[in-house]
Amino acid sequence: MVPEGTQVGARIIDGKAIAAEVREQVRAEVAGLVDAGARAPGLATVLVGEDPASEIYVANKHKACEQAGMRSLHHGLAVSTSERELLELLDRLNADDEVDGILVQLPLPEAIDPDHVVAAIDPVKDVDGLTPTNAGLLAHGSPGLVPCTPAGVMELLRHEGVELEGAEAVVVGRSKLVGRPLASLLLGANATVTSCHSRTRELAATCARADVLVAAVGAPRLLGAEAVKPGAVVIDVGMNRTDDGLVGDVDFEAARELAAAITPVPGGVGPMTIAMLLVNTLAAARARRG
């Protein structure tokens, strides 16, 4: 737990630098596997349609894989692809021994049910950690593949030496991708966790109790100074495009005057997501090989 006490000018948590450390560790481990005669881990990505943001995300993931010494296998499908055709591709990837991890880039076209698609991925290859099996393992407190962004948040907190045992943590947002799994991870670290959302009454007052405040709701500058406890650690997962550029869910300038440490947007949590994807792909490859 971070001690209380106002600190003007919070420590900025450099997600880019921490992600670079994680990626270098993965690269070294992959090189060790290859030097020992093993096949390099393989990540298969699937993108349906031509959404510009998704194309950039997938390209960045491929570049990171190659830099880590992993094999990157991409399947770009037309926006007219049916759900049945996509599920057939996933069946083939599930059965392909050269593929250790599978990532279907979301969102999908409206005609395709994302829940059906995610559930069709082999849980052992589910490097996004979103299948019902992996979500259930996390909720149960059992080992499994964890969604990359929540895993990245936990790595940031670990790297910064934040004491979670006994700390009060507030997570704003309840998505299956970030909010829910992160609450489970924080509980697993023995924090006392409060989950908030759009219908939470007195949201700012609830947040102001937090030793660790995580904002992952997708609302630009939703949380101001009144939501930040002096001496808290603030992790901003939000990525909102505005006329002022890319901003988080937290009013950064206001919060940094009270917080002990805070992540910037961009450059905070974002780089960790791809780094933890590499961690998950390596873990999946190791698990599949026993």
Side-chain angles (χ1 to χ4, degrees), residues 13 110 113 150 168 244 246 257:
I13 301 174
E110 290 184 4
D113 187 331
E168 184 159 3
D244 298 327
L246 203 60
E257 295 184 4

Side-chain angles (χ1 to χ4, degrees), residues 14-248:
D14 189 345
K16 288 183 179 179
I18 298 169
E21 291 180 16
V22 173
R23 289 167 65 160
E24 173 56 27
Q25 181 178 349
V26 171
R27 188 204 62 76
E29 292 188 32
V30 169
L33 285 176
V34 173
D35 288 345
R39 171 180 53 79
L43 172 67
T45 56
V46 180
L47 175 62
V48 183
E50 298 178 351
D51 177 73
S54 293
E55 289 179 336
I56 292 172
Y57 293 150
V58 170
N60 288 339
K61 290 167 184 175
H62 280 281
K63 182 178 179 181
C65 274
E66 291 166 0
Q67 290 174 342
M70 297 181 179
R71 294 173 304 108
S72 183
L73 313 165
H74 181 59
H75 297 266
L77 306 179
V79 69
S80 59
T81 299
S82 68
E83 183 174 308
R84 179 181 60 80
E85 290 171 326
L86 178 53
L87 293 176
E88 288 174 350
L89 171 60
L90 292 178
D91 283 342
R92 294 194 296 273
L93 295 177
N94 285 337
D96 189 343
D97 196 50
E98 297 291 306
V99 173
D100 297 296
I102 300 171
L103 184 151
V104 178
Q105 184 66 42
L106 302 175
L108 292 166
E110 290 184 4
I112 299 177
D113 187 331
D115 290 337
H116 291 170
V117 171
V118 169
I121 299 171
D122 184 344
V124 177
K125 298 186 178 186
D126 170 32
V127 290
D128 249 350
L130 296 178
T131 59
T133 296
N134 282 320
L137 288 170
L138 177 57
H140 193 262
S142 300
L145 291 170
V146 176
C148 301
T149 300
V153 170
M154 296 301 289
E155 180 62 21
L156 289 176
L157 294 171
R158 185 201 66 76
H159 187 277
E160 293 298 303
V162 178
E163 179 56 62
L164 293 175
E165 185 163 347
E168 184 159 3
V170 173
V171 179
V172 185
R174 53 180 172 176
S175 71
K176 289 185 284 188
L177 189 63
V178 181
R180 292 174 190 262
L182 181 56
S184 293
L185 289 170
L186 289 166
L187 280 171
N190 295 320
T192 300
V193 182
T194 301
S195 293
C196 296
H197 46 78
S198 60
R199 292 177 177 80
T200 298
R201 296 174 183 173
E202 300 182 359
L203 175 62
T206 301
C207 293
R209 300 199 311 259
D211 301 301
V212 176
L213 173 62
V214 183
V217 70
R221 299 191 181 103
L222 173 69
L223 304 177
E226 71 282 358
V228 179
K229 177 182 179 179
V233 173
V234 179
I235 306 293
D236 194 347
V237 183
M239 295 278 280
N240 308 288
R241 296 191 182 279
T242 70
D243 292 339
D244 298 327
L246 203 60
V247 302

